Amino acid sequence: MKKVLFFATVIAGCIMISSCASKKELVNCQNENKELSAQYQNARESLAAANARINSLSDQLKSCQSNNDALSKSLEQSLNNANSSSVNVAKLVDQINESNQYIRHLIQMKAKSDSLNMVLTNNLTRSLSKEDMKDVDIQVQKGVVYISLSDNMLYRSGSYQISAAADATLAKIAKIIKDYQDYDVLIEGNTDNVPISQTNIRNNWDLSCLRASSVVQALQTKFGVDPKRLTAGGRGEYNPVADNGTAAGKTKNRRTQIIITPKLDQFMELIGKAPKDDQK
């Protein structure tokens, strides 16, 4: 009887050990799945930003190539015309050479611009958590970075006062702004079309301007961004991105945009100033 009890105890212990090991493997798999999902999301966002910039510069390139084709046809017609002067032909040749040079310049700028925008967007999205990204939308359009922040995350309800919950996200965005010291930064407030009903705020123009000003002052006083680089502006209800006829549309329209624009004369210098990953 004692032997039977002994073996039963041993078997039960083995089952418990096996069960614990299985649970540990499951937890490890779940953690690995979460990490891979986050990496996949970052890759999708980076690709979307790069594609937007590529499409913009591709349109410019097509336009220049079209002009070049027109000049080439004009030269051919001149050469076929016995009465055309050598001076006019020489001018057309010069114009074609200038056009080709500009096309090569556009191609180089396209590659460098794509690289710069990718670095900036990647650094920003890596700085923000998955939870942050629910209230933050990042887009790159024609060389300009737009960071759109929802009013639910930024402000207290019906107010222009920054909420305590917004500080963590603004701190990360301020870090990116300070890493790129040669960028101009516009903070732009936007509202839905519902009239404001507070005695100290006249209308949505006031509300959008006050909210933009609150973000500017938070970036300056709390997070050390140089105020000379900052501009605050409000567009009221007149720059909607969705239909104000629905609750979801109103939510999208109530936003504050942080618009980061590189100065063209400093563009080349900025290429070599991308912060390293260990500077986060």
Side-chain angles (χ1 to χ4, degrees):
M1 184 64 179
K2 290 182 178 179
K3 289 183 177 180
V4 172
L5 290 174
F6 172 74
F7 284 119
T9 302
V10 171
I11 291 171
C14 291
I15 291 173
M16 290 179 66
I17 292 172
S18 174
S19 175
C20 291
S22 298
K23 288 181 179 179
K24 184 176 181 180
E25 290 175 357
L26 177 60
V27 171
N28 288 339
C29 287
Q30 289 174 338
N31 290 337
E32 184 177 353
N33 183 57
K34 289 180 181 179
E35 182 178 351
L36 290 173
S37 296
Q39 292 176 359
Y40 173 69
Q41 179 65 21
N42 287 340
R44 285 187 60 187
E45 291 163 355
S46 299
L47 180 60
N51 286 338
R53 184 58 183 153
I54 288 171
N55 290 338
S56 173
L57 287 174
S58 292
D59 290 341
Q60 295 182 46
L61 182 58
K62 287 179 182 178
S63 176
C64 289
Q65 288 174 333
S66 177
N67 291 338
N68 187 51
D69 290 342
L71 288 171
S72 296
K73 289 180 181 178
S74 179
L75 174 60
E76 184 178 354
Q77 292 173 357
S78 296
L79 290 173
N80 291 334
N81 187 347
N83 296 324
S84 87
S85 67
S86 59
V87 174
N88 290 334
V89 172
K91 286 182 178 180
L92 284 171
V93 170
D94 289 341
Q95 289 176 352
I96 290 174
N97 288 336
E98 290 177 3
S99 178
N100 286 332
Q101 184 177 1
Y102 183 61
I103 289 173
R104 289 193 294 270
H105 172 70
L106 271 180
I107 293 172
Q108 293 173 353
M109 291 294 290
K110 177 177 180 293
K112 291 173 180 177
S113 177
D114 290 343
S115 174
L116 182 62
N117 288 331
M118 283 288 290
V119 168
L120 178 59
T121 305
N122 285 341
N123 282 344
L124 183 53
T125 53
R126 284 199 302 267
S127 297
L128 298 174
S129 68
K130 193 173 182 180
E131 191 66 23
D132 294 331
M133 293 302 292
K134 293 179 181 179
D135 295 306
V136 180
D137 179 58
I138 302 171
Q139 295 184 23
V140 179
Q141 300 177 6
K142 297 182 179 180
V144 179
V145 178
Y146 295 85
I147 306 170
S148 186
L149 308 174
S150 71
D151 71 329
N152 291 334
M153 182 269 291
L154 273 178
Y155 312 106
R156 298 172 185 169
S157 179
S159 170
Y160 56 87
Q161 298 296 327
I162 301 292
S163 67
D167 282 352
T169 300
L170 286 178
K172 294 173 183 178
I173 293 175
K175 172 67 168 60
I176 295 296
I177 293 174
K178 289 193 290 185
D179 281 339
Y180 292 84
Q181 298 181 8
D182 293 314
Y183 280 74
D184 289 327
V185 182
L186 168 64
I187 312 300
E188 180 184 276
N190 295 268
T191 71
D192 59 24
N193 64 347
V194 178
I196 189 72
S197 58
Q198 292 191 26
T199 56
N200 61 331
I201 301 176
R202 291 174 297 180
N203 48 41
N204 284 331
W205 278 115
D206 277 1
L207 180 61
S208 63
C209 292
L210 287 168
R211 286 183 166 179
S213 178
S214 293
V215 173
V216 163
Q217 292 179 67
L219 290 173
Q220 175 190 354
T221 59
K222 288 187 177 182
F223 308 113
V225 177
D226 183 357
K228 294 178 181 178
R229 300 174 55 204
L230 300 173
T231 300
R235 302 190 68 175
E237 64 197 69
Y238 302 105
N239 184 36
V241 293
D243 182 8
N244 274 312
T246 65
K250 286 184 172 68
T251 298
K252 290 182 179 179
N253 291 332
R254 295 192 302 268
R255 69 201 188 279
T256 297
Q257 284 191 311
I258 298 177
I259 304 171
I260 307 175
T261 309
K263 298 176 182 177
L264 293 179
D265 59 345
Q266 297 168 338
F267 186 88
M268 298 298 293
E269 183 181 357
L270 288 174
I271 291 293
K273 286 188 176 181
K276 298 179 181 178
D277 290 346
D278 59 3
Q279 290 180 331
K280 298 172 192 173

